[in-house]
Amino acid sequence: MNSTTDQATINSVILEAADPAAAAAFYEAAFGLGDRLRIRATTAPTTGFRGFVLSLVVSQPGTVDSLLGTALAAGATAIKPAKKSFWGYGGVVQAPDGTLWKVATSAKKDTRPANREIDDFVVLLGVDNVKNTKQFYIDHGLAVGKSFGSKYVEFDIPSSSVKLALYGRKAAAKDAGVSPDGSGSHRVAIDSGFGAFSDPDGFEWETGAA
């Protein structure tokens, strides 16, 4: 692995929408992710689960409620209302463009006034074969941070403001509260310094994407 790959990061997540102006306005009002999230136009057909979930990890339940609240007020649909679980507190919404968003925290109680700070922005890819796709990304220069057999993988990209994780497709859909059935375009791309390629599940990576 060369020094360029060692320093490579994920620059942004690119969502493709039929109405990019409306999608951009929604995301600015809902989450305020700045240049970590970009929108571009597409007419590619897509149905059902697109194979990925975008996750916002925050510090406490009040922040979860704040972000989900602005998303719903801006036009999102509640898929899994926020609630406590054994792992923490969180919920899932679907944006007007169809993208699924999970907002969650490992904390079960607020320890300070609510804010809108996002600790981690994670792209969770639901893939057909976690083990094979994990190796594919290792071969493309990504280092594994956490790995739970063939169930879940989280990559370690220290300098990146966007993280990447892998989950089985059915498990990812179940966690998001939707059917795993779906076809057509993923309507997402990842802009990074790791190079331009398509992974085994058809997720596109681009470099210096416009």
Side-chain angles (χ1 to χ4, degrees), residues 53-187:
V53 178
L54 299 182
S55 179
L56 304 179
V57 181
V58 301
S59 63
Q60 59 182 9
T63 305
V64 172
D65 290 337
S66 177
L67 291 167
L68 289 177
T70 51
L72 292 169
T77 301
I79 302 299
K80 292 178 70 173
K83 66 177 182 179
K84 289 182 181 179
S85 70
F86 71 92
W87 53 261
Y89 181 84
V92 178
V93 296
Q94 187 170 39
D97 67 272
T99 305
L100 292 167
W101 290 81
K102 180 178 181 179
V103 186
T105 178
S106 60
K108 296 185 180 181
K109 294 182 179 180
D110 290 333
T111 56
R112 54 193 168 93
N115 58 50
R116 293 178 58 79
E117 295 178 6
I118 296 168
D119 297 332
D120 291 312
F121 177 21
V122 185
V123 182
L124 178 64
L125 302 182
V127 302
D128 286 337
N129 189 310
V130 173
K131 182 179 179 180
N132 288 351
T133 303
K134 169 187 171 182
Q135 188 59 52
F136 174 89
Y137 280 114
I138 291 173
D139 292 343
H140 280 75
L142 280 77
V144 174
K146 298 178 183 178
S147 181
F148 299 93
S150 60
K151 295 182 178 180
Y152 178 82
V153 177
E154 185 177 297
F155 294 95
D156 183 21
I157 315 173
S159 59
S160 179
S161 62
V162 181
K163 294 188 175 183
L164 176 71
L166 307 177
Y167 214 5
R169 180 183 174 94
K170 290 183 179 179
K174 182 178 179 180
D175 184 61
V178 299
S179 166
D181 297 333
S183 63
S185 173
H186 292 302
R187 289 199 175 187

